[in-house]
Amino acid sequence: MKPHPLAPRSEEIELKLALPTSDPSSLAKRLAQTPALARRPASRQQLHNIYFDTPEQLLRQQRVALRLRRIGSEVQPQWLQTLKTGGRDDSALSQRGEWETPVPNDKLSLKALKATPWSSMDPDGKVFRALSPCFVTTFERTSWLVRRRDGSEVEVALDVGQIVVGDQTTPVCELELELKAGPSAALFDIAQQIARTIAVLPSTMSKAQRGFALAQGTLDLPLHAQPQALASDLPLPATVQRVLREMFSQFTVNLNALCSSDEPEVVHQARVGWRRFKSAMRLFKPALASEAVPSWQALQTLWICLGELRDLDVARTETLPPLADVYVAGDDRRAQAWQAMTQALAQAAELQRKAVRYALQAPAVGASLLATTQWLESLPALSGAGEAAAKPKISLRRWTKGRILHLHDQLQRALRDADKPDHLHRVRILAKRMRYDIEALRPLLPKRLTQRGYQRAANLQASLGASRDVMQAAVLVAKLEVDRGLVEFLRGVAAGRGRQS
């Protein structure tokens, strides 16, 4: 299937927000009470959507979605056929082509695709003939049309329902803000008004993407780092935006998955995403307008909760299992003590996971994430404010190499004082930053610097991390009502590994 050429198209600009609530039934009423939507009439529709693709999922691979939508009841249905193209998957703000055409029934119409890029994508009709239903979405949409004095117009739509693939289902509970007229800033203005009282999470996944993920068994799996392809002729502001957007997306995608997933790796990758993002923020600081950077103070409670949950997950799934046989050594009493400890850790982790989900329901968290999303989208417009960006002929390769070497010098200085406990922690943090930043900027860096710098940082992080993990496990176990001999055993192991690092 050939990708469609860049051509004039009907464009949809939309901001998508997940709603991490335990009571979706009250959302419409609560939204209607927000200042942005108060005293505006709401409309309600039952929407039934059928998504199509080939057995090889050629449309999904091309970032294309084709659906049939039934509006109203089965008795008096209205059918719309919609083609969407070109959506990005690294931001809650999406801009994509959209062509919607009324059709007579629940059968795809090739004729309705004539005025769209479909002809260039599928010139011989082979792909169209291979299409078949993949999944269904069914939800109630409550929508408000917001017309503002500046001439901007935004449709705010609350969708509550489900996605169905065979006998599998997953809930839909999201808010879509679609720009009908005016600048995209209007979307964020209204979203921020809503986020003052209702918890939201920026969402990069469309219903189509979630449907395909459900069908493939990949929904809510942890999202790992996906460093961007970078070219030396890319302007510095665009490079900064591309790198930071990918890292922030890793953070928010895993936060969304955390709302329903108990997988420890989701927690880990959420923390990795945020650490990569903060590390790159430090690296790119000379190219950023410091006064424009949003505040993340509202995320502190969430970050602490995530850290405590990660410590529990690491202790019970990674650090302690290899030590079980060494401690038990065939002794029944010790075996019982070990089992009691593992059960207590599992219960503590379960409670902490609930605390994380509770923290995600704080409106201030969503408002902070929204502000960051808007800031990332505006980065190219801020290009003149940064110190480095003021130099129009700066070499991107030279600039990134200089920043990595500066970080390397910081690591070297910390290593010289590594005999002090607080400096060991700094060495570990700097090693992480070095590894994250080299991963992100690898295409722009000299090969030798990349290989040697990355390997050294990874080795330091691994050696210092192993000692820290056992020590942290001992601290966690000491807080539980367990055999004190077990606690002393873990402290001894931690002390021994500390001497080896």
Side-chain angles (χ1 to χ4, degrees), residues 101-146:
T101 309
V103 290
N105 51 41
D106 61 349
K107 305 297 181 185
L108 286 177
S109 168
L110 184 58
K111 181 180 179 181
L113 294 170
K114 293 294 185 183
T116 76
W118 187 270
S119 297
S120 60
M121 294 161 55
D122 181 30
D124 58 6
K126 183 179 178 181
V127 173
F128 185 84
R129 290 190 295 272
L131 295 172
S132 61
C134 294
F135 57 89
V136 167
T137 66
T138 303
F139 51 88
E140 181 180 70
R141 168 166 288 180
T142 307
S143 57
W144 298 261
L145 188 62
V146 180

Side-chain angles (χ1 to χ4, degrees), residues 474-495:
V475 171
L476 292 172
V477 172
K479 297 177 182 178
L480 305 174
E481 294 181 3
V482 298
D483 187 288
R484 306 324 292 171
L486 199 159
V487 176
E488 293 307 316
F489 164 76
L490 293 176
R491 286 173 176 166
V493 173

Side-chain angles (χ1 to χ4, degrees), residues 129-183:
R129 290 190 295 272
L131 295 172
S132 61
C134 294
F135 57 89
V136 167
T137 66
T138 303
F139 51 88
E140 181 180 70
R141 168 166 288 180
T142 307
S143 57
W144 298 261
L145 188 62
V146 180
R147 294 186 176 92
R148 308 196 330 157
R149 292 179 180 178
D150 62 1
S152 60
E153 197 171 291
V154 174
E155 181 187 64
V156 179
L158 168 67
D159 294 339
V160 178
Q162 62 181 352
I163 300 172
V164 182
V165 181
D167 58 356
Q168 300 181 83
T169 65
T170 190
V172 170
C173 186
E174 64 184 32
L175 204 61
E176 293 181 351
L177 289 83
E178 183 177 350
L179 189 67
K180 299 296 186 180

Side-chain angles (χ1 to χ4, degrees), residues 211-248:
F212 283 119
L214 179 63
Q216 295 168 340
T218 60
L219 187 64
D220 292 336
L221 287 184
L223 177 65
H224 293 74
Q226 298 177 320
Q228 298 293 289
L230 302 173
S232 58
D233 59 349
L234 195 67
L236 180 57
T239 301
V240 174
Q241 182 186 52
R242 188 173 295 184
V243 171
L244 290 178
R245 196 156 51 190
E246 180 273 323
M247 294 171 171
F248 187 68

Side-chain angles (χ1 to χ4, degrees), residues 366-434:
S368 179
L369 297 174
L370 261 176
T372 305
T373 301
Q374 184 174 16
W375 176 76
L376 286 170
E377 293 302 320
S378 67
L379 269 180
L382 301 173
S383 61
E387 172 187 321
K391 303 174 182 178
K393 294 185 179 180
I394 188 171
S395 163
L396 185 58
R397 288 187 183 277
R398 191 192 323 169
W399 191 87
T400 52
K401 178 183 176 182
R403 296 301 294 159
I404 292 295
L405 289 175
H406 175 71
L407 182 56
H408 179 266
D409 290 343
Q410 289 181 296
L411 180 58
Q412 287 289 94
R413 288 194 296 272
L415 279 168
R416 285 196 287 269
D417 295 319
D419 55 326
K420 303 173 185 177
D422 57 331
H423 283 268
L424 270 179
H425 178 67
R426 177 163 172 74
V427 167
R428 186 165 176 260
I429 296 300
L430 286 171
K432 281 187 179 182
R433 287 179 53 195
M434 185 88 169

Side-chain angles (χ1 to χ4, degrees), residues 10 28 35 49 92 111 245 259 314 319 374 411 418 454:
S10 174
N49 308 279
K111 181 180 179 181
R245 196 156 51 190
C259 294
V314 170
T319 306
Q374 184 174 16
L411 180 58
Y454 182 87

